Amino acid sequence: MNTRSAALVADTGRRNEAVILNAALEAFGRKGFNGASMRDVAKLAGTSLSNLYNYFPSKSRLLAEVLRHANEELQARVRRAVADAGDDASSRMREAVRAYVGFVVDHQVAMLVSTNEVRYLDPDDRAALVAERDSTQGTFEEIVAQGVASGEFRTPYAADAARAILSGIGAIASWYRPDGRLSRGQLAEQQARYALALLEARLPH
Amino acid sequence: MNTRSAALVADTGRRNEAVILNAALEAFGRKGFNGASMRDVAKLAGTSLSNLYNYFPSKSRLLAEVLRHANEELQARVRRAVADAGDDASSRMREAVRAYVGFVVDHQVAMLVSTNEVRYLDPDDRAALVAERDSTQGTFEEIVAQGVASGEFRTPYAADAARAILSGIGAIASWYRPDGRLSRGQLAEQQARYALALLEARLPH
Amino acid sequence: MNTRSAALVADTGRRNEAVILNAALEAFGRKGFNGASMRDVAKLAGTSLSNLYNYFPSKSRLLAEVLRHANEELQARVRRAVADAGDDASSRMREAVRAYVGFVVDHQVAMLVSTNEVRYLDPDDRAALVAERDSTQGTFEEIVAQGVASGEFRTPYAADAARAILSGIGAIASWYRPDGRLSRGQLAEQQARYALALLEARLPH
Amino acid sequence: MNTRSAALVADTGRRNEAVILNAALEAFGRKGFNGASMRDVAKLAGTSLSNLYNYFPSKSRLLAEVLRHANEELQARVRRAVADAGDDASSRMREAVRAYVGFVVDHQVAMLVSTNEVRYLDPDDRAALVAERDSTQGTFEEIVAQGVASGEFRTPYAADAARAILSGIGAIASWYRPDGRLSRGQLAEQQARYALALLEARLPH
DNA sequence: TATGAATGAGTGTTCATTCAT
DNA sequence: TATGAATGAACACTCATTCAT
């Protein structure tokens, strides 16, 4: 149905749960959290309105679960990439950025919903998600700190650099088209270069 | 009421119109376009629900006007800044970024609403606004092109650099607090540096 | 604007009053009393909404005036026709029918509004109008009575014949098209024949 | 509640649907389509406003269903009557008229709503209903044609006679009172006589 | 687990009418 | 006489949620 994104939530065990989560992601992506109705979600999930409530106690909690899954996947990708990268900050930053970009491209809608609809979460759910996100951003901040310490990165504004980098990458979700000028790989390469340049890393010439 | 932003729409001549536009901006900022009701707007504007419709024919058109005013102000600031800047691409980029950051900080809510709620515009209004926004981005793209041509900027990814820069600056609206670590001026300076670094400009050491 | 009907209310003295009455007739004709708004009327009259209330104190009274004018014209036509007709019941009935048909064709919309929207009048206005209408129907009933007395009409159901005849003629308003199969004159002739036949008059062969 | 009409829609199977349809008929009958609100209908049906929409997707479709049921019943009565009548045109016309009158008397409100509110239907629904009505009128037109061909009816205006007859009968709905001068049967007999007379049938003396 | 019926609060919008000018 | 701004009530319709089955 949506050719730009693979299903975000895998179909393990409780089958309908995954179906509903993916339907909700799609609905929220199309119309926003407040613009999409539970009926929309039910229709996309191919089930009845009332059956939704057998899986999620409220619309808000449904959104929370959608965002939790999205963030989980993003975090996993980034952590794996960093773990598999070399030891120097530049390599690690490059791989972290590539992974982040990969997620944004693979799950464009999830990224959009993630950034635009967090605010509609109930306070507790929002706090939990923000904490998770901060932790992902923390991974980038650590790499920045490492690079500054090692002299690889010379930016005088290290404290905010990770956020600046992630803002730019996150925004990709709002304009990237898979059939556009840049391939998935080229985009990742480009963003990595932007990131390292922003950090004033010693770039290869 | 909102301490983070001065009124976006000036109160010249048609008074209630400005009052309503500012109320709408605030309401949409607090709850999003779909989350805010016309009743919310009326309450904030201190008028009756039905009277809103003497000024704007629909909620959607009200949003369109809010966004048009916001973009107008942003565009004016950037153009003025570029016109007043030096001749070299680096100076012009620096001033353009400063102006853009200034707008985001002065009209944080307007910036947030602008990026998050455009999608709810009617197609025609959306197209018109996107065109205006592209024109603002075009100003940045021209500076990039100038810098690349003159050798000031050495990024191999010039085509997408303006967008990357503006994404990062726009995102400021979602986290900046006037009482935070950075002053308005420091933030502007920082963002200018990020921008020039991303462009791989020859930086002063 | 409406090619099927001449203006019902003549433009004597208080000019805008006639303009408004004709506009109201058109509006009520197009959308019904409850479907047409005072704004609709104002637009058609080429004046402002609030100005309507300088002429008529309420929507309901506006309708009452429209219907009063329509009925006045209808009544005048019928009375004039009967007065100008011969002495025998058949001739008088024939002319009365012709006149009635003439009104329906000349003021189709007025006839439609008259029959469909009376019910929305305030009780007093409705009573007054119904009385006027009964008086017009009374004219026909007298002719029937005369014809029965003289032996011209042989129907055993004289008491309800006038109403039956007028129902049929009134309904013409809902289907007649000036460019249809029958001319104005042919239609009148046809209806006169139907009426006399229904009354079981001795018809010419 | 309404002593003048039996319930039009029978309560078979889908109970609430019939309840709502009858409530809608009553509401539209009392105040007209535009004058009656969905809240009125809900109140009469003894259910909630929003529940109405579980049965009918819009006020307009609700009206369409009401009118469809009414026309179905009318059509069925007329067809049955004609089928059960003798072979000559006069008998068939007499029975057809009797059946039509019977419907008007039994379902006075339905007849009124049917004639006054069709115009508020959506174009497609209106077209469908008009087609059904034309088919009923067609039944009468065929009888007229038969009678003219056989020499039973001598009217020179055969083409419009069926419509003239049905207009008169339909109008009964707007004045008949069950406790009035005429009984149901007398009224039917009277109308049959009017019809045959109008057709210039050879009447029994 | 799944459904369709039900509900009360809320949506954007329009209404007839009034008022200040 | 004429206007534009204003209002409170009402409109058709949709909402998230619940309940009986």
Side-chain angles (χ1 to χ4, degrees):
Chain A
M1 211 160 288
N2 185 331
T3 61
R4 291 209 294 282
S5 295
L8 176 70
V9 182
D11 162 349
T12 62
R14 305 222 273 157
R15 196 151 70 98
N16 275 333
E17 193 170 310
V19 170
I20 293 172
L21 283 167
N22 286 315
L25 174 58
E26 190 174 344
F28 296 156
R30 284 188 198 172
K31 309 195 187 178
F33 177 71
N34 279 313
S37 70
M38 289 297 266
R39 273 170 180 83
D40 291 335
V41 175
K43 202 159 292 172
L44 286 173
T47 185
S48 71
L49 169 60
S50 40
N51 195 31
L52 260 35
Y53 289 85
N54 286 323
Y55 293 84
F56 303 94
S58 70
K59 193 187 181 190
S60 172
R61 288 288 306 133
L62 176 53
L63 174 62
E65 284 304 299
V66 167
L67 297 193
R68 194 175 61 74
H69 278 88
N71 200 64
E72 226 166 63
E73 166 74 2
L74 169 59
Q75 217 164 31
R77 288 195 185 206
V78 169
R79 296 223 161 113
R80 214 180 307 129
V82 173
D84 294 352
D87 283 340
D88 60 306
S90 295
S91 306
R92 299 177 81 208
M93 176 61 70
R94 179 184 308 273
E95 293 313 314
V97 167
R98 284 175 167 295
Y100 205 114
V101 171
F103 174 83
V104 172
V105 165
D106 291 347
H107 298 294
Q108 222 171 321
V109 178
M111 190 69 207
L112 278 170
V113 171
S114 237
T115 55
N116 293 329
E117 322 293 339
V118 211
R119 56 193 305 220
Y120 302 115
L121 250 22
D122 283 342
D124 286 357
D125 286 324
R126 182 164 60 243
L129 188 73
V130 167
E132 287 302 312
R133 256 134 77 142
D134 285 351
S135 138
T136 306
Q137 187 173 308
T139 303
F140 285 82
E141 282 164 351
E142 281 165 25
I143 300 175
V144 171
Q146 176 197 350
V148 168
S150 71
E152 286 174 86
F153 305 153
R154 292 166 304 170
T155 179
Y157 295 111
D160 295 303
R163 179 163 50 201
I165 290 167
L166 295 189
S167 299
I169 302 175
I172 290 171
S174 64
W175 58 262
Y176 183 75
R177 295 291 169 265
D179 54 352
R181 176 164 43 81
L182 272 68
S183 76
R184 199 177 174 287
Q186 288 170 322
L187 183 70
E189 181 53 32
Q190 180 200 69
Q191 294 295 320
R193 174 97 182 208
Y194 283 158
L196 291 171
L198 185 147
L199 290 165
E200 301 182 24
R202 294 173 209 281
L203 292 170
H205 288 284
Chain B
M1 211 161 286
N2 186 330
T3 61
R4 292 208 294 283
S5 296
L8 176 69
V9 182
D11 167 343
T12 63
R14 311 228 270 153
R15 196 149 72 102
N16 277 331
E17 195 170 307
V19 170
I20 292 172
L21 283 168
N22 286 316
L25 174 58
E26 190 174 343
F28 296 156
R30 284 189 198 170
K31 308 196 189 177
F33 177 72
N34 279 315
S37 72
M38 288 299 265
R39 280 164 182 83
D40 291 335
V41 175
K43 204 158 291 174
L44 287 173
T47 186
S48 71
L49 168 60
S50 45
N51 195 31
L52 258 36
Y53 289 85
N54 286 326
Y55 294 84
F56 303 93
S58 69
K59 193 188 183 191
S60 173
R61 288 288 307 134
L62 176 52
L63 174 63
E65 284 304 298
V66 167
L67 298 192
R68 195 176 60 76
H69 278 89
N71 201 65
E72 226 167 63
E73 168 73 3
L74 169 58
Q75 215 166 30
R77 288 195 186 207
V78 169
R79 295 224 161 113
R80 215 179 306 130
V82 173
D84 294 353
D87 283 340
D88 61 305
S90 297
S91 307
R92 299 177 82 208
M93 177 59 70
R94 179 184 307 273
E95 295 311 315
V97 168
R98 284 175 167 296
Y100 205 114
V101 171
F103 174 83
V104 172
V105 166
D106 291 347
H107 299 295
Q108 221 171 324
V109 178
M111 190 68 205
L112 278 170
V113 172
S114 234
T115 55
N116 292 330
E117 322 294 338
V118 211
R119 58 194 303 220
Y120 302 115
L121 250 22
D122 283 343
D124 285 358
D125 286 324
R126 182 163 61 240
L129 189 73
V130 166
E132 287 301 312
R133 255 131 83 137
D134 285 351
S135 139
T136 305
Q137 186 173 311
T139 302
F140 284 83
E141 282 165 351
E142 282 166 26
I143 301 174
V144 172
Q146 176 197 351
V148 168
S150 71
E152 287 173 84
F153 305 154
R154 291 166 304 171
T155 178
Y157 295 113
D160 295 304
R163 178 163 49 201
I165 290 167
L166 295 188
S167 299
I169 303 176
I172 291 170
S174 65
W175 56 263
Y176 182 76
R177 296 290 170 266
D179 54 353
R181 176 164 41 81
L182 273 67
S183 77
R184 198 177 174 286
Q186 289 170 323
L187 183 68
E189 181 53 33
Q190 179 200 69
Q191 294 294 321
R193 174 97 183 206
Y194 283 158
L196 291 170
L198 183 148
L199 290 164
E200 302 182 22
R202 293 174 211 279
L203 292 170
H205 290 283
Chain C
M1 212 158 290
N2 186 329
T3 62
R4 290 209 295 283
S5 296
L8 176 69
V9 182
D11 161 350
T12 62
R14 303 222 274 159
R15 196 149 70 97
N16 276 332
E17 194 170 309
V19 169
I20 293 171
L21 283 167
N22 286 314
L25 174 59
E26 190 173 343
F28 296 155
R30 284 188 199 172
K31 308 193 187 179
F33 177 70
N34 279 313
S37 71
M38 289 297 266
R39 274 170 180 84
D40 290 335
V41 175
K43 202 159 291 172
L44 286 172
T47 186
S48 71
L49 169 61
S50 40
N51 195 29
L52 260 35
Y53 290 84
N54 287 323
Y55 292 85
F56 303 94
S58 70
K59 193 189 181 190
S60 173
R61 288 288 307 134
L62 177 52
L63 174 63
E65 284 304 298
V66 168
L67 297 193
R68 195 176 58 77
H69 278 88
N71 201 64
E72 226 167 63
E73 167 73 3
L74 169 58
Q75 217 164 32
R77 287 196 187 207
V78 169
R79 297 224 160 113
R80 213 179 308 130
V82 173
D84 293 354
D87 283 339
D88 60 306
S90 296
S91 307
R92 299 178 80 207
M93 176 59 70
R94 178 183 309 270
E95 294 312 313
V97 168
R98 284 176 167 294
Y100 205 114
V101 171
F103 173 83
V104 172
V105 165
D106 291 346
H107 298 295
Q108 221 170 323
V109 178
M111 191 69 207
L112 279 170
V113 172
S114 236
T115 54
N116 293 329
E117 321 294 337
V118 210
R119 57 194 304 219
Y120 303 115
L121 250 21
D122 284 343
D124 286 358
D125 286 324
R126 182 164 62 241
L129 188 73
V130 167
E132 288 301 312
R133 257 136 75 144
D134 285 352
S135 138
T136 305
Q137 187 173 311
T139 303
F140 283 83
E141 283 165 349
E142 282 165 25
I143 301 175
V144 172
Q146 176 197 350
V148 168
S150 72
E152 287 173 85
F153 306 153
R154 291 165 303 169
T155 179
Y157 296 111
D160 296 301
R163 179 163 49 201
I165 291 167
L166 295 189
S167 299
I169 302 175
I172 291 171
S174 64
W175 58 262
Y176 183 75
R177 296 290 170 265
D179 53 352
R181 176 163 43 81
L182 272 68
S183 75
R184 199 177 174 288
Q186 288 170 321
L187 183 69
E189 181 53 33
Q190 180 199 69
Q191 294 295 319
R193 174 98 181 206
Y194 283 158
L196 291 171
L198 184 148
L199 291 164
E200 302 182 23
R202 295 173 209 281
L203 293 171
H205 289 282
Chain D
M1 210 160 285
N2 186 331
T3 61
R4 291 208 295 282
S5 296
L8 176 69
V9 182
D11 166 345
T12 63
R14 311 227 271 154
R15 196 149 71 102
N16 277 332
E17 196 171 305
V19 170
I20 293 172
L21 284 168
N22 286 317
L25 174 58
E26 189 174 343
F28 296 156
R30 284 189 199 171
K31 307 195 188 179
F33 177 71
N34 279 314
S37 71
M38 288 298 265
R39 277 166 182 83
D40 291 336
V41 175
K43 204 157 292 174
L44 286 173
T47 185
S48 70
L49 167 62
S50 44
N51 195 30
L52 258 37
Y53 290 86
N54 286 326
Y55 294 84
F56 303 94
S58 69
K59 193 188 182 189
S60 172
R61 288 288 306 135
L62 176 53
L63 174 62
E65 284 303 300
V66 167
L67 297 193
R68 194 176 61 76
H69 278 88
N71 200 65
E72 226 168 64
E73 167 72 3
L74 168 58
Q75 217 165 31
R77 288 195 186 207
V78 170
R79 296 225 160 112
R80 215 179 307 130
V82 173
D84 293 353
D87 283 339
D88 61 305
S90 296
S91 306
R92 298 177 81 209
M93 176 61 68
R94 179 185 307 272
E95 294 312 314
V97 168
R98 283 174 168 296
Y100 204 114
V101 171
F103 174 84
V104 172
V105 166
D106 290 347
H107 298 295
Q108 221 171 323
V109 178
M111 190 70 206
L112 278 171
V113 172
S114 232
T115 55
N116 292 330
E117 322 294 339
V118 210
R119 57 192 306 219
Y120 303 115
L121 251 22
D122 283 344
D124 285 358
D125 286 325
R126 183 165 59 242
L129 189 72
V130 167
E132 288 301 312
R133 256 131 82 138
D134 285 352
S135 139
T136 306
Q137 186 172 310
T139 303
F140 284 83
E141 283 165 350
E142 281 165 28
I143 301 175
V144 172
Q146 176 196 352
V148 168
S150 71
E152 287 173 84
F153 305 153
R154 290 165 304 170
T155 179
Y157 296 112
D160 295 302
R163 178 162 51 200
I165 291 167
L166 295 189
S167 300
I169 303 175
I172 291 171
S174 63
W175 58 262
Y176 183 76
R177 295 291 170 266
D179 53 352
R181 178 165 40 84
L182 273 66
S183 75
R184 199 176 173 287
Q186 289 170 322
L187 183 68
E189 181 53 33
Q190 179 199 71
Q191 294 294 322
R193 175 97 182 206
Y194 283 158
L196 291 171
L198 184 148
L199 290 165
E200 302 182 21
R202 293 172 210 279
L203 292 170
H205 290 282

